[in-house]
Amino acid sequence: MNILSIESSCDETASAILSFDPKSPNTSIKLLSNVVVSQIDIFKAYGGVIPEVAARSHLEAILPVIDRAFSDAGFLTPEEKNNWEKIDAIAVTNTPGLLGSLLIGTLTARTLSILHNKPLYPVHHLKSHIYSAWLDKNDKGRENPPSFPLLSLVVSGGHTQIIRMPSDNKFEIIGTTLDDAVGECFDKVAKILGLPYPGGPSISKSALSGNPEKYPLPIPNIKDLDFSFSGLKTAVLHAVQKEVGVPISYPSHKLKNLLSPEQIADFSASFEKTAVEILIKKLKKALKIYPDTTSVVFAGGVSANETLRKTAEKTLKNLNVYFPPKKFSGDNAAMVAISVAHEISSGIKPADPRSVEILPRSSIA
Ligand code: KG4
Ligand code: ZN
């Protein structure tokens, strides 16, 4: 069967078509199209996402993006119209995310579901991020997918959570950030250092020529399996102020003019190393508490980070460690489709398209 998926929770408008056989969902998976239109270029100028601008951009992009998903999959009628006969179900991200952004994707999916009489599956965004690790880089289902019980470290712009999955489609949050998400921290530190939005990739690039030992930064002492990243951001701010010799009242947006390229690279490398250390330390603690874990799945935009990938591979040697292929680590609709493929093969029923709500904030469990 074929799933058409739609993702618009933040600043990417995306649609994909994925084919699979519900009896063997993993080995049969084939991604037929995967279209992502990013608004990053718009938001570079502002240094961050402006929700209303994001919603308006989704409104402009969403129908052309869906059309493109049909044409890339070869799903056009002889009259070059979208061939809805080929589609068996629609999947859409309805939670969590920016209100206006979610509204565009969800209302589009609801309307298409009613218009073309297709079952509609609303999906939690973090669930999709986790299942992105079931895809391989050749747009197929992995031959050896993650096994259960597993622990997933979900690291994105809005979330930092350790999620335990005892089995397919089942989630328990065992750790979460008490304040900022790690991706948000990358974005805020990049702003202090004068690096472009989004901060994650620009900090990583800058860190390549930096010395990670140059500026020691504190590892917060947070109880249980929870995280905190707001202190790390403030620690970087104060370290930069100290380095350039200004008081802590000095405005952070003016600091970039006082830093040399070498200092920026050293701060990037020191910050990145510390952020990764915080994540891996908590993950190792979680693995001690849940010794039955067989796989570890990294998910979300920050899972593209090379330092995180290398550190995880080095320190979690005895486990099966999975990262999504880089093209699926940021927001996309392929991950939305694959998570619904798992729902369909487990017998989970579709929703009533007229009553699918949008929830800007909601928990996976
Ligand atoms: O999952 P995602 O695309 O969107 C959300 O669901 O939030 O994650 C976006 C976040 C941003 O904060 C971005 O700076 C971060 O992922 N990110 C990275 C990297 N690439 C993206 N962080 C660290 N290293 C990267 N290479
Ligand atoms: Zn995301």
Side-chain angles (χ1 to χ4, degrees):
M1 65 187 289
N2 298 317
I3 300 175
L4 170 76
S5 58
I6 296 171
E7 155 66 41
S8 71
S9 63
C10 188
D11 58 349
E12 264 91 27
T13 319
S15 180
I17 295 177
L18 182 125
S19 86
F20 78 109
D21 175 353
K23 285 196 208 91
S24 54
N26 216 57
T27 44
S28 64
I29 290 240
K30 258 194 215 125
L31 187 60
L32 303 181
S33 62
N34 183 35
V35 185
V36 183
V37 169
S38 175
Q39 302 169 7
I40 280 178
D41 286 343
I42 304 173
F43 296 122
K44 259 191 182 145
Y46 302 103
V49 178
I50 299 171
E52 184 167 331
V53 177
R56 283 166 190 256
S57 305
H58 284 305
L59 186 60
E60 262 178 51
I62 195 133
L63 294 178
V65 163
I66 293 170
D67 288 346
R68 184 66 189 263
F70 273 92
S71 63
D72 284 2
F75 281 11
L76 296 181
T77 64
E79 302 79 41
E80 307 265 295
K81 297 246 169 63
N82 295 342
N83 189 349
W84 281 93
E85 280 181 17
K86 296 265 198 187
I87 302 296
D88 301 290
I90 300 175
V92 67
T93 311
N94 73 321
T95 185
L98 299 173
L99 187 145
S101 294
L102 288 168
L103 196 57
I104 304 296
T106 305
L107 188 56
T108 305
R110 281 174 50 163
T111 309
L112 292 172
S113 157
I114 293 166
L115 192 66
H116 299 287
N117 196 21
K118 304 290 174 188
L120 179 61
Y121 290 82
V123 196
H124 194 283
H125 186 64
L126 297 195
K127 174 170 185 176
S128 303
H129 270 306
I130 295 173
Y131 278 101
S132 65
W134 269 250
L135 285 165
D136 76 10
K137 62 179 190 318
N138 302 315
D139 297 342
K140 296 206 174 116
R142 272 190 213 267
E143 276 186 31
N144 298 307
S147 54
F148 302 100
L150 65 78
L151 290 187
S152 178
L153 182 66
V154 180
V155 280
S156 72
H159 291 84
T160 304
Q161 294 189 326
I162 305 180
I163 294 170
R164 179 177 140 85
M165 289 182 70
S167 58
D168 212 11
N169 301 300
K170 297 270 185 293
F171 307 91
E172 296 160 12
I173 300 169
I174 58 169
T176 195
T177 181
L178 304 176
D179 41 57
D180 292 352
V182 60
E184 187 182 355
C185 189
F186 267 91
D187 296 337
K188 286 178 175 167
V189 168
K191 239 181 175 175
I192 295 170
L193 301 178
L195 296 169
Y197 174 84
S202 45
I203 285 194
S204 284
K205 198 168 153 209
S206 157
L208 288 175
S209 56
N211 172 6
E213 311 302 332
K214 182 73 192 278
Y215 303 107
L217 294 163
I219 304 275
N221 190 9
I222 308 296
K223 67 168 180 45
D224 303 330
L225 297 175
D226 291 334
F227 299 91
S228 164
F229 281 96
S230 72
L232 178 59
K233 169 201 66 192
T234 310
V236 173
L237 175 63
H238 290 167
V240 172
Q241 287 166 327
K242 187 169 166 217
E243 177 73 8
V244 298
V246 297
I248 55 168
S249 56
Y250 192 85
S252 62
H253 67 272
K254 289 191 179 164
L255 286 169
K256 59 181 181 219
N257 306 322
L258 306 176
L259 287 164
S260 71
E262 194 187 341
Q263 284 170 319
I264 293 172
D266 290 343
F267 271 114
S268 297
S270 302
F271 162 72
E272 185 176 60
K273 178 197 142 209
T274 310
V276 166
E277 205 175 314
I278 294 170
L279 294 172
I280 297 289
K281 224 177 144 186
K282 274 289 151 107
L283 188 57
K284 281 168 88 174
K285 190 171 177 187
L287 286 165
K288 275 207 181 122
I289 299 172
Y290 295 95
D292 60 342
T293 304
T294 57
S295 309
V296 175
V297 172
F298 287 81
V302 182
S303 74
N305 187 278
E306 270 304 322
T307 304
L308 178 63
R309 288 182 176 226
K310 285 196 185 119
T311 312
E313 265 146 33
K314 241 194 291 169
T315 50
L316 307 172
K317 275 201 196 99
N318 301 329
L319 284 151
N320 297 316
V321 178
Y322 293 84
F323 281 88
K326 284 209 179 151
K327 61 180 167 180
F328 302 126
S329 64
D331 290 348
N332 65 85
M335 66 187 193
V336 179
I338 194 165
S339 68
V340 167
H342 279 256
E343 291 193 3
I344 292 173
S345 11
S346 310
I348 295 176
K349 298 280 173 254
D352 172 359
R354 287 174 202 275
S355 59
V356 170
E357 292 180 66
I358 55 151
L359 299 167
R361 299 174 76 83
S362 81
S363 172
I364 194 171

